[in-house]
């Protein structure tokens, strides 16, 4: 039972072989329920949520995290309650429910600080940064990401520090400091190349491509996107593939290839709608609007935008 759970968790961390990971965890859950092992049940339900999240299946992930939270609350396991609350906050944030996300993050931080869970505290700080970023509060978001990076550096958690540096790089890019953005994104890639999941590496690589595109380095951006697209298709994360295709469409627009841009947008929009990622869907629709303008379809552009 523990072995099956560990095997499924390993697949979740690796970010690949999702079918095998799900099967192992579901079998482990059956055995845990039969044995009445509620501690293991809560852990397995949480790992099933992680596996669904890696695949962009946010509704299923949220259902698993809610079930894990119910078990952990009944057991009085405050550390696990804090982790599940934080993960639920991320599901709400990624689906555009920002008020619920903020409530869950604040509740998670109370639990994690009460039990001295510094790793969990860093996770929440980083995700509060994500929430502030999508709400346009970039200065506050940057401060949260820097706080999270400091904690993870002290804990020698290179994978999480790498993700924090990626977020710091994104904030500098959005705030116009492209030199600081590039330095942090390249540092993040260096850390994640060895210790991160493939998904994490692809996400930072995608951010670096966006930076290069904003600096007019179209060929360099295209190369990074092609690498990211090949990798994301191998691990089968539809939502992230949709994000990359939206940026690739922008590359094609800059090169004047409107047909290729349209193909990327059609597939990317379909994938993002299926993955229920409203913020990224909004970004791809903006690129769609530009395509319609360049195609001399102003009325369709207005409808899209």
């Amino acid at each position: 039972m523990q072995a099956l759970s560990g095997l499924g968790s390993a697949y979740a961390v690796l970010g690949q072989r999702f079918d095998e990971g799900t099967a192992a965890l579901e079998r482990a859950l059956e055995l845990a329920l039969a044995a009445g092992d509620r501690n293991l049940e809560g852990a397995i339900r949480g790992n099933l949520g992680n596996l669904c999240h890696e695949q962009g299946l946010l509704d299923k992930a949220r259902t698993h995290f809610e079930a894990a939270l119910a078990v952990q609350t009944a057991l009085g396991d405050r550390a696990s309650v804090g982790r599940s609350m934080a993960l639920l906050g991320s599901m709400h944030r990624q689906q555009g429910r920002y008020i619920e996300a903020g409530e869950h993050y604040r509740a998670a931080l109370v639990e994690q600080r009460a039990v001295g869970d510094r790793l969990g505290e860093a996770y929440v700080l980083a995700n509060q940064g994500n929430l502030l970023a999508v709400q346009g509060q970039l200065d506050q978001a940057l401060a949260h990401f820097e706080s999270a990076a400091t904690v993870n550096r002290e804990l020698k958690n290179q994978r999480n520090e790498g993700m924090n540096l990626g977020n710091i790089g994104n904030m500098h890019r959005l705030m116009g400091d492209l030199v600081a953005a590039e330095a942090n994104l390249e540092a993040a890639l260096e850390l994640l190349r060895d210790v991160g999941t493939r998904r994490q590496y692809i996400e930072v690589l995608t951010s670096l491509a966006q930076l290069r595109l904003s600096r007019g380095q179209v060929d360099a951006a295209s190369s990074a996107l092609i690498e990211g697209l090949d990798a994301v298709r191998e691990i089968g994360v539809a939502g992230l593939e949709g994000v990359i295709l939206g940026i690739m469409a922008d590359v094609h627009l800059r090169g004047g290839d409107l047909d290729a841009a349209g193909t990327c947008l059609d597939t990317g929009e379909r994938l993002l709608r299926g993955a229920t990622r409203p913020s990224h869907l909004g970004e791809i629709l903006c690129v769609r609007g530009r395509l319609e303008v360049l195609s001399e379809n102003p009325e369709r552009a207005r409808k899209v935008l």
Side-chain angles (χ1 to χ4, degrees):
M1 190 161 49
Q2 291 278 6
L4 282 169
S5 177
L7 181 62
S9 301
Y11 290 138
V13 169
L14 289 170
Q16 54 192 331
R17 299 177 67 182
F18 294 121
D19 291 342
E20 294 96 326
T22 299
L25 286 169
E26 287 178 345
R27 178 57 181 152
L29 181 59
E30 290 176 6
L31 295 173
L33 290 170
D37 189 336
R38 302 218 73 197
N39 282 300
L40 187 55
E41 176 194 347
I44 294 169
R45 291 189 187 279
N47 281 316
L48 279 166
N50 288 329
L51 204 56
C52 289
H53 182 217
E54 284 291 324
Q55 298 172 83
L57 304 173
L58 303 186
D59 287 329
K60 287 186 177 181
R62 191 175 74 250
T63 297
H64 286 304
F65 291 139
E66 286 171 345
L69 177 62
V71 172
Q72 294 152 357
T73 300
L75 292 171
D77 182 353
R78 296 190 71 178
S80 296
V81 165
R83 286 192 291 273
S84 291
M85 291 290 284
L87 290 164
L88 280 167
S90 295
M91 297 306 97
H92 285 299
R93 174 179 56 79
Q94 290 175 26
Q95 293 185 298
R97 293 185 291 273
Y98 299 146
I99 293 174
E100 293 90 337
E103 291 171 348
H104 278 79
Y105 287 145
R106 286 190 291 274
L109 207 54
V110 169
E111 298 297 323
Q112 286 156 339
R113 285 175 170 166
V115 298
D117 181 0
R118 298 202 71 212
L119 184 62
E121 178 182 349
Y123 174 86
V124 174
L125 287 170
N127 279 283
Q128 285 179 319
N130 287 326
L131 181 59
L132 289 163
V134 297
Q135 294 175 311
Q137 301 176 54
L138 302 186
D139 286 334
Q140 291 185 50
L142 178 60
H144 277 72
F145 291 137
E146 289 174 338
S147 295
T150 297
V151 173
N152 281 314
R153 194 173 299 119
E154 291 172 356
L155 296 174
K156 302 188 186 307
N157 190 317
Q158 290 186 320
R159 186 178 71 177
N160 287 358
E161 183 189 350
M163 289 305 296
N164 299 149
L165 290 175
N167 286 323
I168 290 169
N170 281 329
M171 292 304 98
H172 283 301
R173 176 175 61 84
L174 293 171
M175 295 165 71
D177 188 345
L178 302 188
V179 174
E182 187 168 26
N184 279 281
L185 288 171
E186 288 182 345
L189 273 184
E190 189 64 29
L191 287 174
L192 294 174
R193 184 175 285 111
D194 296 326
V195 300
T197 68
R198 294 186 71 190
R199 174 174 176 158
Q200 290 169 333
Y201 180 82
I202 294 164
E203 287 177 342
V204 175
L205 184 65
T206 302
S207 294
L208 190 57
Q210 288 178 298
L211 171 66
R212 288 170 176 166
L213 191 59
S214 69
R215 300 182 78 168
Q217 300 168 349
V218 178
D219 290 341
S222 181
S223 296
L225 291 170
I226 290 169
E227 179 187 348
L229 198 56
D230 289 341
V232 79
R233 284 171 173 165
E234 288 180 10
I235 64 174
V237 181
L240 184 51
E241 181 181 349
V243 171
I244 295 173
L245 284 170
I247 305 167
M248 183 67 81
D250 196 356
V251 170
H252 288 308
L253 282 183
R254 293 176 187 231
D257 191 341
L258 305 190
D259 289 339
T263 299
C264 286
L265 289 170
D266 289 342
T267 305
E269 185 176 340
R270 175 177 55 79
L271 292 171
L272 287 172
R273 289 189 186 279
T276 58
R277 289 192 163 201
S279 60
H280 292 300
L281 183 58
E283 293 170 5
I284 208 170
L285 288 175
C286 287
V287 180
R288 169 80 69 186
R290 287 171 49 213
L291 172 62
E292 298 298 350
V293 169
L294 291 171
S295 302
E296 299 183 353
N297 292 315
E299 185 59 35
R300 289 175 62 182
R302 277 193 292 271
K303 288 180 179 179
V304 169
L305 296 172

